[in-house]
Every structure is written in C-alpha cells, then in structure tokens.
Amino acid sequence: MFSRRRFAAGCVALIAAPTARARGAGETDSFALVGSLEQGGWALGQVPVGTSSLRVDDRLIPFAADGRFPVGFDRDAARGARLEAVLPDGRSVRADLAIMPRQWNLSRLNRLPKYPVPSAEFAARRPAELAQIASAREKQTAAQGWRQPFRWPAIGRISTLFGAQRIYSGEPGAYHSGIDLALPTGTPVHAPADGVVILAAEAPFMLEGNLLMLDHGMGLSSAFLHLSRIDVRTGDAVSQGQLIGAVGATGRATGPHLHWGLMWRGARIDPLLVAGSMPRL
Ligand SMILES: [Zn+2]
C-alpha cells in the first residue's frame, strides 16, 4: 500500500517551505517540495515524517536529519520523476513529479566544426585532468550550502545561457553545461553558497583553465572555469559571499568570462533557476 501525490510541472512554489511553518494535519504523511519542476531545475524537499529511506527514480538518495533534501532535474530530464519514501512499517509514500520540458537555444550550422587537431600535450595531460574532476565529484562533504538561497558568484551580462547547443549539419554538439558571464579579467568571484573546495586546479586545465569546484553538500556542486586566479585550496570550507578567485580566460576561452556550472548527482542544473534572475547591472 502506498499513498501517492502528484505535483504539476513548472510550479515554483508547490507547498509552503516546510521550515516556514508547522506542518498541517495530513501533511506529515506526504512529501513537501519547493522549487522548479522543469528541465535544468531543482527543488528542496522534505520527506514524510519517519521516512527510513528515500529514492528518486529508483536511486537511493540521502536526506538530512531534519528530513530535508535537494533534488535536481537534468537538462535532458524525462517528463516525469518519482520520489518514493519507505516508512518503518514498510509502507511507501510516492510523489509523481511532472517535469516541464524546455526550449533550448539551438543554433543550426551547415558545416561541421573545424576541431583543432588534439595536440600531443592535450593527449598526454587530459586523462589526468578528467580523473581529477571525476574524483572531485565523488567527494561528499558535510557542507550545508544546499539549504541556502544561492547568490550569483559575480554580477554581469549573461553571454551564453545554460543548455545552449549547436547542431552541425544535423549532428548535435555538446550543450552548454553552465552559464557564462562576460566580465573583465580580475573581476572577483564569490562563493554562491557555503561549500567545501573539492578541486582547486594547481595549473590550468587544457579546456577548463584554472578550475575551482565547490561541494555544497547533499550531492550539489559548483564549478567555476577559466579563472585567472584561485584564492582557496582543496579542503577549505568557504562561506557564502567569500572571495574564492577572479575571472579570467584560461583554458579554452575566446575571451575573459566566468563559466559557472551546477550539478546534482550527475544532473546538470541551470544556475539561473538556482540563483534567480541577474540583478540589474
Ligand atoms: Zn561556458
């Protein structure tokens, strides 16, 4: 037996934030969720009281002692997602989420891109760089930034949106996995939320340049690319708003900009849906 609840797509606030008020009668036995139910979106949830395990689309997901958890929906997420809590008496509580598909900024080009021939240096260095990124993503920290309203790491003109993609003669290229802010080299970059540094590149990576990655806890992490300078070291705990580095054009970049990517357990999240619209310049 299970109880089931449906959540409509795209809603920004589905149920008042669980921490904002006491739960009403009848609510204890169901999920509460606040966020953006759309591709690239994310939400903060609260498990039903007494939940012993939580699954998102059949994947076991940890939740905090107070029952809260973040959940993200990949850029290419399916139209539905399912939350399932198992209670100590064996009952399960399910919530079916409708995930709104989005229109991405696609540019169609009639020619294949002229990929530069990978250099011997690229071939030699890239595997170790990818291994560093992969091992950083595996780090789980006790950071609590996932609970906070995120701030923009820098304020500037958005030059490339999350999810943008080029189609070359019908062949889709990789989509843009973060958001780009056009800013001069040296512009300070601040932590968008509390976190722990899981990667601070000691030398520029071939593509990402000076790469800084923060874990915000519960599977949510940020990556900042192309930095001219990194001001923190791997293992450092950083607070929201703390200076962590500066904008640059290191790695593969046509000009100085900040690329900010967000990921939740492998799902690519749109920073615009987490940090909100860019404040007026
Ligand atoms: Zn970018």
Side-chain angles (χ1 to χ4, degrees):
M1 289 298 293
F2 58 84
S3 61
R4 179 177 288 194
R5 182 161 191 152
R6 288 182 179 278
F7 290 97
C11 298
V12 169
L14 297 147
I15 295 180
T19 51
R21 64 184 170 91
R23 285 161 168 272
E27 249 184 71
T28 53
D29 220 15
S30 58
F31 281 98
L33 204 61
V34 177
S36 314
L37 301 189
E38 57 190 290
Q39 289 181 331
W42 88 310
L44 276 175
Q46 174 105 31
V47 295
V49 167
T51 294
S52 49
S53 68
L54 165 69
R55 286 178 191 273
V56 177
D57 289 336
D58 296 327
R59 189 157 59 136
L60 205 54
I61 298 294
F63 55 92
D66 63 0
R68 303 199 79 191
F69 64 97
V71 56
F73 310 106
D74 188 64
R75 188 263 198 190
D76 296 324
R79 283 171 180 252
R82 170 171 291 179
L83 308 180
E84 182 167 13
V86 174
L87 305 180
D89 63 8
R91 273 188 312 133
S92 79
V93 178
R94 293 184 193 166
D96 289 313
L97 313 180
I99 306 302
M100 188 169 69
R102 288 172 67 188
Q103 301 286 324
W104 303 107
N105 191 352
L106 304 181
S107 30
R108 293 177 194 281
L109 304 175
N110 291 326
R111 284 177 291 115
L112 287 170
K114 288 182 198 152
Y115 287 117
V117 178
S119 65
E121 187 192 12
F122 185 93
R125 286 175 48 187
R126 195 60 182 156
E129 293 177 358
L130 292 176
Q132 278 193 68
I133 293 171
S135 85
R137 284 194 181 130
E138 282 171 13
K139 290 180 191 165
Q140 307 272 331
T141 78
Q144 298 291 307
W146 60 275
R147 296 177 181 273
Q148 298 172 319
F150 274 55
R151 293 190 201 165
W152 285 95
I155 306 298
R157 180 178 65 83
I158 294 170
S159 51
T160 309
L161 288 168
F162 172 85
Q165 191 170 25
R166 286 180 171 168
I167 314 283
Y168 303 99
S169 302
E171 284 288 315
Y175 69 82
H176 192 232
S177 61
I179 199 159
D180 285 350
L181 306 179
L183 288 164
T185 293
T187 303
V189 176
H190 301 276
D194 291 358
V196 172
V197 179
I198 48 175
L199 176 62
E202 291 182 1
F205 283 24
M206 300 296 292
L207 302 181
E208 297 85 358
N210 288 316
L211 168 65
L212 173 60
M213 293 172 70
L214 294 183
D215 178 55
H216 301 296
M218 286 290 167
L220 185 68
S221 64
S222 278
F224 307 92
L225 278 61
H226 313 303
L227 301 175
S228 58
R229 194 185 78 225
I230 293 177
D231 294 338
V232 288
R233 297 207 295 198
T234 303
D236 285 358
V238 302
S239 301
Q240 186 175 53
Q242 184 178 328
L243 180 66
I244 51 176
V247 174
T250 55
R252 188 187 285 176
T254 52
H257 70 281
L258 176 64
H259 171 112
W260 176 29
L262 271 171
M263 194 178 253
W264 177 80
R265 304 190 187 282
R268 302 273 189 187
I269 306 302
D270 183 352
L272 202 55
L273 296 178
V274 176
S277 55
M278 177 65 69
R280 289 170 75 89
L281 303 180

Coordinates of all heavy atoms in Angstrom, one line a residue, residues 176 180 257 259, ligand 1:
H176 N 25.8 23.5 -23.7 CA 26.5 24.4 -22.8 C 26.1 24.0 -21.4 O 24.9 24.1 -21.0 CB 26.2 25.8 -23.1 CG 27.1 26.8 -22.3 ND1 26.6 27.8 -21.6 CD2 28.5 26.8 -22.2 CE1 27.7 28.4 -21.0 NE2 28.8 27.8 -21.4
D180 N 27.5 31.5 -18.8 CA 28.7 32.3 -19.0 C 28.3 33.8 -18.7 O 27.3 34.3 -19.1 CB 29.1 32.3 -20.4 CG 29.9 31.0 -20.8 OD1 30.1 30.2 -19.8 OD2 30.2 30.8 -22.0
H257 N 35.7 35.5 -19.3 CA 34.3 35.3 -18.8 C 34.3 34.3 -17.6 O 35.3 33.6 -17.4 CB 33.4 34.8 -19.9 CG 33.6 33.4 -20.4 ND1 34.6 33.0 -21.2 CD2 33.0 32.2 -20.1 CE1 34.6 31.7 -21.5 NE2 33.6 31.2 -20.8
H259 N 32.5 31.0 -16.4 CA 31.6 29.9 -16.6 C 31.3 29.3 -15.3 O 32.1 28.8 -14.6 CB 32.2 28.9 -17.6 CG 31.4 27.6 -17.7 ND1 30.7 27.3 -18.9 CD2 31.1 26.6 -16.9 CE1 30.1 26.1 -18.7 NE2 30.3 25.7 -17.5
Ligands
ZN1 ZN 30.6 28.4 -20.6

